[in-house]
Amino acid sequence: MRIASSRAMEILLHLKDFVEPGIKTMDLEAVCEEKIKEAGNITAAFKGYNGFPYCLCVSVNDEVVHGMPSERQLKENDIVSIDFGLLYDGYYGDVAMTYAVGGISKTAQKLLDVTEEALSRGIAEAREGNRLHDISHAIQEHVEAFRFSVVREFVGHGIGRSLHEDPQLPNYGTKGTGIRLKPGMVFAIEPMVNMGNSEVYIKKNGWTAATKDGSLSAHFEHTVAVTNNGPVVLSRV
Ligand code: MG
């Protein structure tokens, strides 16, 4: 899982170099496909999953998750969330980051920073003896302190031999509730944070979730193991 997760992150970081005004989101998909082919022993986790046709989910601005690569060109001041999973030797890894396209507003940068920090705070709670929703609570508390909101309809999840395993891991919740965390459990922790309110809708393509109020949305994700020695970020490069 460390290999699947860290390779996914390597590719995600590689894609960052291509995120600039003028690039089509489909070009990012092509770069990703090339990297997978080059590696030879890894498979894209999302392509074909429930019929999803691409390796990447690319969600721009008000799109929250499950955006589809297309001929859409990124432009200055956009933010783009890229979600990417890999399968290696029977095990999955799942990562996401939101990138700025050129210069972005201070508030947009704040949204990215707060979402990334919320992920770090969630990861810090992924330790033996804690409860599942300690992770959720840490994320929610940080996000709401900045008056942003966490998306409710989409959640983190267990991960392993399947991309999505039980339990679901909401990005909101009450401290001290949920299952007790044990060494060996692995979670995809993935705050999705809206600048406006938490409501989302699904676009006409049947996949892409976007904010109802049109506000920006950010998404950061790591694959994290609970161990005897605290949380281990398997997707750390
Ligand atoms: Mg995920």
Side-chain angles (χ1 to χ4, degrees):
M1 292 194 73
R2 191 195 289 275
I3 293 171
S5 305
S6 60
R7 287 201 177 158
M9 184 55 83
E10 273 169 26
I11 292 175
L12 189 59
L13 292 171
H14 177 72
L15 289 171
K16 187 180 186 181
D17 296 340
F18 295 84
V19 171
E20 53 181 38
I23 193 164
K24 293 172 185 163
T25 58
M26 189 60 88
D27 297 338
L28 298 172
E29 171 77 9
V31 171
C32 179
E33 280 201 318
E34 196 54 44
K35 293 301 280 183
I36 291 170
K37 205 189 283 176
E38 208 178 280
N41 56 359
I42 47 176
T43 313
F46 301 168
K47 197 169 184 166
Y49 186 87
N50 292 334
F52 190 80
Y54 302 107
C55 302
L56 299 177
C57 292
V58 185
S59 308
V60 183
N61 293 336
D62 60 314
E63 294 174 347
V64 178
V65 284
H66 307 158
M68 294 213 188
S70 72
E71 295 303 306
R72 178 178 186 168
Q73 279 185 316
L74 296 177
K75 48 186 205 311
E76 183 84 19
N77 204 39
D78 282 345
I79 61 171
V80 58
S81 301
I82 307 178
D83 192 352
F84 178 51
L86 274 181
L87 172 66
Y88 171 80
D89 197 21
Y91 289 91
Y92 285 89
D94 195 358
V95 296
M97 287 184 91
T98 301
Y99 295 136
V101 184
I104 57 171
S105 72
K106 268 190 186 154
T107 348
Q109 188 59 54
K110 191 78 196 166
L111 176 72
L112 270 49
D113 294 345
V114 166
T115 308
E116 192 167 19
E117 173 63 20
L119 171 57
S120 297
R121 290 181 182 222
I123 290 169
E125 296 298 322
R127 50 182 72 251
E128 182 176 9
N130 272 7
R131 300 280 188 167
L132 186 67
H133 298 156
D134 292 346
I135 300 172
S136 315
H137 179 80
I139 291 170
Q140 181 181 18
E141 189 174 55
H142 185 69
V143 168
E144 292 181 352
F146 291 86
R147 297 176 185 265
F148 297 139
S149 55
V150 295
V151 171
R152 311 267 166 157
E153 283 86 349
F154 298 93
V155 296
H157 49 93
I159 179 168
R161 285 188 177 277
S162 300
L163 178 60
H164 296 114
E165 296 184 351
D166 287 337
Q168 294 197 344
L169 174 49
N171 293 302
Y172 59 93
T174 308
K175 225 176 152 81
T177 67
I179 58 161
R180 179 94 53 195
L181 301 182
K182 294 180 190 156
M185 292 178 170
V186 183
F187 298 98
I189 306 178
E190 51 175 323
M192 288 148 264
V193 176
N194 297 348
M195 194 177 274
N197 72 42
S198 67
E199 286 180 70
V200 301
Y201 73 99
I202 304 294
K203 289 190 162 182
K204 279 185 191 137
N205 65 17
W207 277 101
T208 309
T211 59
K212 260 191 192 162
D213 63 7
S215 68
L216 296 177
S217 188
H219 182 204
F220 285 80
E221 174 177 28
H222 271 301
T223 299
V224 181
V226 179
T227 77
N228 293 317
N229 295 312
V232 172
V233 180
L234 299 177
S235 42
R236 190 82 73 202
V237 174

